[in-house]
Amino acid sequence: MAPFLLLLFLLSKAASDNTDVTVHPGDDVTLKCQAAGPSITVLKWIKPDLEPEYVLFYRSNTMQTDYQNKDFKGRVELVDRDLKDGDVSLILKNVSSIHAGTYECRVKDGVSRRKKRAADLSILRTIRTIRLQVTEPDSEDGNSSPVGRYRGLAAGVLILVAAAVVGVLMYKRHKNKRSGPSADDDDADEASAIQVI
């Protein structure tokens, strides 16, 4: 039982570090990320499916735009440029469909005072993964909610199940009619014929 509870705890912890965010084209969105402390020396927001993968690269208290993917130049900024209280949240402006996908927030804190080298960047910890969905608004009410899509899917499944039940019942009824009348039915027919005479 204890291993099961441990596994359940670890899975719930992993799920809490992953977030789904849905926005519409043209919206601004804040991808929230909170580091453990305020002593952040390196911050990377990446989109692993890009080349280069950098959405935002922050080191030595400055943005490093030379490494940034062209699709994000001029579109991103930090909620707090000073990274006070470990807030490393990212604002993505004027979102379009090309921005949909998975984002990772990675940090390195300033516990170590030694010189930072390029090899040290591999020590960054991923502290948040966000899946960004960019959807067109529904024409009826102006919003495209995942809940609404799931309701539609559930209604479709319910209709299919009801159709299957009706089909099975009709098949059984038809099968019973084809097998012919039973002996009890013959006796009932004979009794009704005698009453008519």
Side-chain angles (χ1 to χ4, degrees):
M1 182 68 170
F4 174 73
L5 291 175
L6 177 62
L7 179 63
L8 187 60
F9 171 76
L10 292 174
L11 288 174
S12 68
K13 175 66 176 154
S16 69
D17 291 341
N18 296 326
T19 305
D20 291 335
V21 176
T22 302
V23 296
H24 303 304
D27 288 351
D28 293 350
V29 63
T30 300
L31 305 179
K32 295 188 181 289
C33 187
Q34 182 69 39
S39 59
I40 307 298
T41 58
V42 178
L43 165 64
K44 290 189 338 184
W45 274 95
I46 66 165
K47 194 168 182 277
D49 61 335
L50 293 178
E51 186 59 44
E53 66 184 1
Y54 294 105
V55 173
L56 179 134
F57 186 35
Y58 181 91
R59 178 170 54 187
S60 303
N61 297 325
T62 58
M63 299 269 228
Q64 308 290 318
T65 57
D66 295 341
Y67 304 103
Q68 190 176 33
N69 186 287
K70 64 178 176 52
D71 292 333
F72 293 92
K73 289 196 181 218
R75 288 184 183 250
V76 294
E77 64 183 49
L78 292 170
V79 168
D80 180 8
R81 289 190 69 106
D82 297 328
L83 305 180
K84 291 178 188 159
D85 302 320
D87 186 358
V88 292
S89 300
L90 176 80
I91 299 171
L92 177 57
K93 298 177 180 179
N94 194 19
V95 175
S96 71
S97 60
I98 64 169
H99 298 117
T102 301
Y103 292 78
E104 294 179 8
C105 173
R106 298 180 177 180
V107 298
K108 180 172 178 162
D109 59 31
V111 174
S112 170
R113 297 284 179 200
R114 63 192 170 104
K115 277 266 196 208
K116 308 296 183 266
R117 297 185 317 233
D120 289 340
L121 293 178
S122 64
I123 302 171
L124 293 166
R125 293 179 297 116
T126 300
I127 57 174
R128 175 63 49 102
T129 301
I130 297 176
R131 285 177 295 280
L132 181 66
Q133 298 176 17
V134 181
T135 61
E136 293 294 330
D138 288 342
S139 56
E140 294 174 11
D141 61 358
N143 93 36
S144 177
S145 162
V147 173
R149 286 192 298 262
Y150 291 127
R151 279 192 209 137
L153 180 62
V157 168
L158 187 60
I159 290 170
L160 285 174
V161 169
V165 168
V166 168
V168 167
L169 291 175
M170 289 176 65
Y171 172 75
K172 284 186 174 184
R173 183 175 175 197
H174 179 71
K175 185 178 177 185
N176 286 342
K177 282 184 177 180
R178 282 185 36 198
S179 64
S182 65
D184 292 338
D185 290 341
D186 289 341
D187 292 342
D189 288 341
E190 199 173 300
S192 62
I194 291 173
Q195 286 180 345
V196 170
I197 295 179

